[in-house]
Amino acid sequence: MTNFLSFPRLFSILLWLAGGLVILFLIAPIVAIVPLSFNAEPFFTYPMPGLSLRWYREFFDSNVWQLALKNSIIVAVFATLLSTFLGTLAAIGLSRPSCPARATLTAILISPMIVPVIVSAVGIYYAFAAVGLLNSLTGLVLAHTAIGAPFVVITVTATLASFDHNLMRAASSLGAAPVEATLRIMLPVIAPGVASGALFAFVTSFDEVVIALFIAGSEERTLPRQMWSGVRETLSPTIAAVATLLILFSTLFLATIQWLQRRAERQKIAHRD
Amino acid sequence: MVIATMNESDGSMIAARTRVKSLGSAKSKAQLRALLLVAPLLIFLLLVFVLPIALLLTRAVDNRAASAALPYTMSALSGWDEKSPPDEALFAAFATDLKQSPRDQIAEVAKRLNYYETGMRSMLLKTARTIRNAKPPYKAAFVAIDSKWETPHYWTLIKNASPPFTDYYLLASLDLERDASGAIGRVSAENAVHVDVLIRTFVVSASVTVICLFLGYPLAALIARSKGAVANTLLILVLLPFWTSLLVRTSAWVVLLQGRGVINSALIWLGLIDPAHPLDLIYNRIGVLIAMTHILLPFMLLPIYSVMKGIPPVYLRAASSLGAPPMSAFFRIYLPMSMPGVSAGGLLVFILALGYYITPALVGGPGDQMVSYFIAYYSNQVTNWGMAAALSTILLVAVLILYAVYNRIVGIDRLRIG
């Protein structure tokens, strides 16, 4: 074992040092903002003069923040439901061997992921203004469905790539109608893929700010939209409190995704046996 | 099908042909079923996403405002030689248009003409307001409002606005314009801002890509050579910021980098800098590079990591057993083998950086705003849809070309997040 990865020892130390510094760079800002949300004083410096929950109280007592939170949840839930339904159907269609023009269709279906969000936002703003969808939660749900659906299409297509289509043939030879076979055989098998697609769609909507900035009025402002104003205008530690709550949320999200992926992998192995 | 056409007269082939036909219809039925599953999302995206963007982009060349608001003027101008002084018939046609067309249409034309020559907007709007009460002869009435109407030059400008399509905005987004003879030339220095913005967008994106590569490569190598729980922990430490909200990460950097923020107060506390002169870490290029690198680093690291994981360590062992020193084993074996990951990550980071808006807007100064900022500026601050659409077209074309390259090198189906 005398390759550069194990020898010389100096190389290994340098690699750990460099990697460690990069990890520090990635994690430090996220870790640093959490304690500041418990600061008794409205400063962004350490050491903190005292601990307090006042910024969390401010977040939960503020009508503006609560409206933003409510809007974010409503929009993300409906956008997730819609994009998961449409995206899963499309992914099943795309992975059928008989699907024509697959490359072109896939390109169109994942285009919202590829087009720079500012172009999408201005385009949607321009078109929604003409049909009266500006300043409405419906408009926001439709736009977020569009940008969330590609994540569902991609994750479900990836799951379906390892799906054993013999199962469907077996089901139909046992007398199951295609719809029944899809719902009772295919769907349970691809469920982890659908679930992670749905989570991606949810997070995409929950974190989206540029489109919200363009098409939502002050009554439809979402959490990221409100944070944007907060950072731009008066940076108060309430932002740190919201950030901490969102970090908690993304930690839960990451744990769920890891669990889903592990489950999908276990299932894959089980199928191969 | 081929068999059937070759044996047109053969009776036994008729059966075969029907079989082929029914197979064909079964195939097209299966195709239809697959399409029906794709259709709902396809139609949804065409309506909510593709069509809106297509409509926006047509605004980059759309020039119908003038001919819609000034139909009589335009037809009177079509026979005019651009040199002789405007005659009474032309003034009468212009007066008819200004009296008949809705005010917002006239305002649109006025704004459009102002791009050709500053001052045209107020000149036209003032004329439109006053001419409503005027009676023939119109030439005298127009000249009474503004003597410039006698000059053929202003009528040439109106005539130039008559074709339904224009390359004006696309040229302007590259700081080019057509002169009176139609030749393309550079706009005057004080109006030339767009090329600078495009270059700046390119420079910032390229810098972020290079920094991400230098930070991401060693960490990816470290994770790839680690095993079990260590590798998993390191990976989770990369994924956690990756999945943390963009706004959270950008706000965190604002808090950290501020003049009285965490980093400066720590440096003051350590006695490394003078409390009166904190470091300028934010609202400038440094802040943009730090925050954008932080946000885009995982997009660089993950593709490199997944390629590195597939490099068999036995190759390196073979290289060193053949006498290669560690450095040459790295540069001649490991680095070339990890290049697919580097190009995938590099392209992805560069493409994503080109379209960034939120982060530069929050941590950058006025001199750090990229093309996205100007698209937003033209669409919702000065409502110049033509310029917003032209810059969108440039950004979109650049991104699509780079994705085509990405597809060639990496495969667009490998575009997986998480």
Side-chain angles (χ1 to χ4, degrees), chain A residues 80-167:
Chain A
T80 302
L81 288 175
L82 205 53
S83 58
T84 306
F85 175 70
L86 295 173
T88 306
L89 275 189
I92 294 174
L94 280 181
S95 27
R96 291 224 167 153
S98 58
C99 181
R102 184 177 294 130
T104 315
L105 287 176
T106 311
I108 298 173
L109 295 189
I110 67 168
S111 61
M113 232 167 102
I114 285 171
V115 173
V117 63
I118 188 78
V119 177
S120 315
V122 175
I124 290 172
Y125 173 64
Y126 182 67
F128 278 17
V131 293
L133 276 170
L134 291 188
N135 303 336
S136 75
L137 287 183
T138 315
L140 213 47
V141 167
L142 292 178
H144 282 187
T145 302
I147 57 160
F151 292 96
V152 180
V153 172
I154 286 179
T155 49
V156 178
T157 309
T159 318
L160 278 168
S162 58
F163 178 73
D164 186 355
H165 284 270
N166 286 324
L167 290 175

Side-chain angles (χ1 to χ4, degrees), chain A residues 1 5 26 126 200 207 235, chain B residues 225 243 245 258 294 317:
Chain A
M1 284 285 277
L5 286 173
L26 280 171
Y126 182 67
F200 284 120
D207 192 25
L235 189 64
Chain B
R225 62 164 276 187
W243 285 115
S245 155
Q258 274 184 55
H294 185 252
R317 279 203 289 277

Side-chain angles (χ1 to χ4, degrees), chain B residues 46-233:
Chain B
L46 288 177
L47 286 178
V48 173
F49 187 78
V50 179
L51 186 66
I53 292 175
L55 285 175
L56 170 71
L57 295 188
T58 58
R59 287 300 298 253
V61 292
D62 185 357
N63 199 37
R64 286 164 304 180
S67 46
L70 308 173
Y72 292 107
T73 317
M74 289 309 180
S75 70
L77 278 170
S78 65
W80 178 58
D81 64 359
E82 300 189 24
K83 285 184 194 71
S84 49
D87 57 9
E88 176 61 24
L90 184 52
F91 279 106
F94 195 31
T96 315
D97 284 332
L98 291 182
K99 285 179 181 181
Q100 282 180 357
S101 293
R103 274 161 200 254
D104 58 331
Q105 273 191 23
I106 301 285
E108 179 82 30
V109 179
K111 200 162 96 184
R112 176 78 185 77
L113 288 171
N114 212 51
Y115 301 149
Y116 285 148
E117 185 154 323
T118 321
M120 273 290 275
R121 182 170 176 275
S122 55
M123 176 176 163
L124 185 62
L125 289 180
K126 184 178 67 184
T127 308
R129 264 197 312 273
T130 320
I131 208 72
R132 282 175 197 274
N133 310 315
K135 293 190 177 54
Y138 283 112
K139 182 166 182 173
F142 273 94
V143 174
I145 297 167
D146 196 322
S147 61
K148 281 189 270 190
W149 286 121
E150 274 183 310
T151 325
H153 170 66
Y154 294 92
W155 295 92
T156 307
L157 292 181
I158 296 178
K159 190 176 178 179
N160 284 347
S162 67
F165 298 107
T166 177
D167 54 10
Y168 171 80
Y169 300 109
L170 287 169
L171 289 175
S173 64
L174 298 168
D175 290 342
L176 300 171
E177 65 181 0
R178 285 184 188 277
D179 61 17
S181 66
I184 295 174
R186 300 196 57 81
V187 300
S188 58
E190 70 264 27
N191 290 326
V193 287
H194 297 122
V195 168
D196 281 352
V197 170
L198 294 173
I199 292 175
R200 182 191 304 159
T201 307
F202 182 87
V203 168
V204 170
S205 303
S207 318
V208 169
T209 308
V210 171
I211 302 171
C212 281
L213 178 61
F214 278 102
L215 297 183
Y217 197 91
L219 182 54
L222 179 64
I223 303 176
R225 62 164 276 187
S226 303
K227 287 185 187 65
V230 177
N232 240 334
T233 312

